Structures are given as structure tokens and as C-alpha cells.
Amino acid sequence: MQLGMIGLGRMGANILRRVMTAGHVGVAYDRDAGAVAALVAEGAQGASSLADLVASLSAPRAVWVMLPAGEATEATLRELHGLLHEGDIIIEGGNSFWKDSARRGEEAAAHGLHYLDIGTSGGVWGLKRGYCLMIGGETQVVRRLDPILAALVPGEGSAPPTEGRESRDPRPSKGYVHCGPNGAGHYAKMVHNGIEYGMMQAMAEGLDLMRAAPFELDLPDITEAWRRGSVVSSWLLDLTAQALAYDPDLAEYSGHVSDSGEGRWTVDTAVEQAVPVPVLAAALFARFRSRQEASFADKALSAMRKGFGGHLEPKNE
């Protein structure tokens, strides 16, 4: 199959690379010609504009938009509405607000186009490990793109099998799930990221508490032991143990912890739905506080964000 990719940042470029590694044809476009050239050198077909990208794809086309949420995505979608043809598919994989995704699905349909919102988790490690995909859109469109989606996910061997799933949809066991109609994919990803905030905050506060112990605790060794057999073992713990192994004091991190929007959307949606989320709300507010006064916990959060997503925080002066 063919896949056109618009936006060749940390996520978009590696998604296209993984698709190409599986034998599919990638067409790459970015305003940065250097980013396009890098993918062309790896076997992709380059495009000089959105119109060029669309012309390079065979019908029915599949175009993945991987741009920052907001006007950049909106403007690109508007232009694609005028370039694509009836039956073509737009995939939007950035961290967009779920209500925007639901609206964009309706707008695409008005132009005879199909639209999938795909919440994508995997960060800078997705090329090697695969991505977890949370998908919103029409059932038949998701099925049509199954070869592309199956190429992106980690596969069943990435985690032990879950007992009792034998008669259920096999796709979630591989790493991708059709959540429902447009908006459902980004709704699931929004909550995923809200939970991520809470998990990271709990781990960071625990490390801070161990730093304050009345005796010296070796955090690199303790976190390394926790990775094996502990109920708190996780990829976030793996990344934390790695950061501590390199620098037990996390001196390179400022502790200024940014938020990219999903945590706010999660808390706003919880208020709207009258669902109590005290842990997720507290984790979001802790990020706000970190910009006023940094602690070791904040440095640990910065280390985790750099580890999974390549998010760089301001360094100490």
C-alpha cells in the first residue's frame, strides 16, 4: 500500500520509516526540504507541496497528517479537502482535542472524504518498539487500512497474552484498537495521557521521598531492582532507571515540567462529565508548580519526558 505523510517531525518521520520497512510505499512532505530529503535517501518518494503529495498517490489515497494540534493542522486539512478525491482517507495522528476530531470527521464527510483520528503513543522509540494506536472512524475504513496499521504496532509478542481474550478482536493484542466513531480515538489518547501524568507524578514523588530518607539510598540500584518482579515495573520505570544510571542527581535537568495540552483536556472533560479525577488533576497542577520551584521529583519528571518523547526542558544556568 501507499501512505502519504505530512509532517516529518519526531513522530511522523519514524511512522513513515516503519511503514516503509514493512514493504509499503511512503510519500513524504514537510515544509523543511531537508526533512524530506532525509526520507528520500531512505527510499521514500519526496513531495514538494501538498498538491504534489496528492498527485503522487494512487486512488483511493491515504494521507496521514502528523502536525501540532491547532491552526497548522486545521489549515492543512482545509487544503486537503480541496485536493483529495471522493473516497480518499485523511488520518490525523497528532494530539488533537477529541471534539475537534469529531468535527473534522463531519467536515471531511461533507467533501466525500473519510477521516480517522488515531491517537498515537510510542514517542521517539516507536520506530524500534512500535506504536500503540487508538483509532476513531468508520469500521470499513479502519479495515481498509489494516495492512498499514498492522505494520506500525508492536505485535502480540511485545507483552504476555491476556487470559480470556481468545474470542475477542485480535487487534488490541497486537497494539491497535478501533475505539469508535470520529473523536473516540483522540478521546482514548487524551485519557491515556492524563493517566500518564498521574503515573509519572507518583513515581517522581516516590523518588523525592527516597532522596529525603535519613540514610543514603542508591536510587539507580533500587530502581533497577524494581524493574524486575515489582508491581510498579513499567516502561516509565525503565526510562527512569536509565536516566538515574547515567546521572544519579539528574543534574542536567532543570525540573521545569511542561504540559502539552492533553492533561488539561482530561481534567476539563472530567469536570464536564462530572467524573472525579483527583490524582490526574493533582498531577497536572504539579506540573504548573514545577515552573515556579523545581524539586528532585520535577527533575525526574523531566527525565521521563525526555526518555519517552524527546521533550527537552530548560537546563540549569
Side-chain angles (χ1 to χ4, degrees), residues 123-139:
V124 295
W125 293 92
L127 176 61
K128 179 178 180 180
R129 292 168 54 103
Y131 300 90
C132 175
L133 306 177
M134 293 147 272
I135 307 164
E138 301 164 87
T139 298

Side-chain angles (χ1 to χ4, degrees), residues 112-132:
L113 305 173
H114 302 291
Y115 180 90
L116 296 182
D117 52 286
I118 301 186
T120 307
S121 181
V124 295
W125 293 92
L127 176 61
K128 179 178 180 180
R129 292 168 54 103
Y131 300 90
C132 175

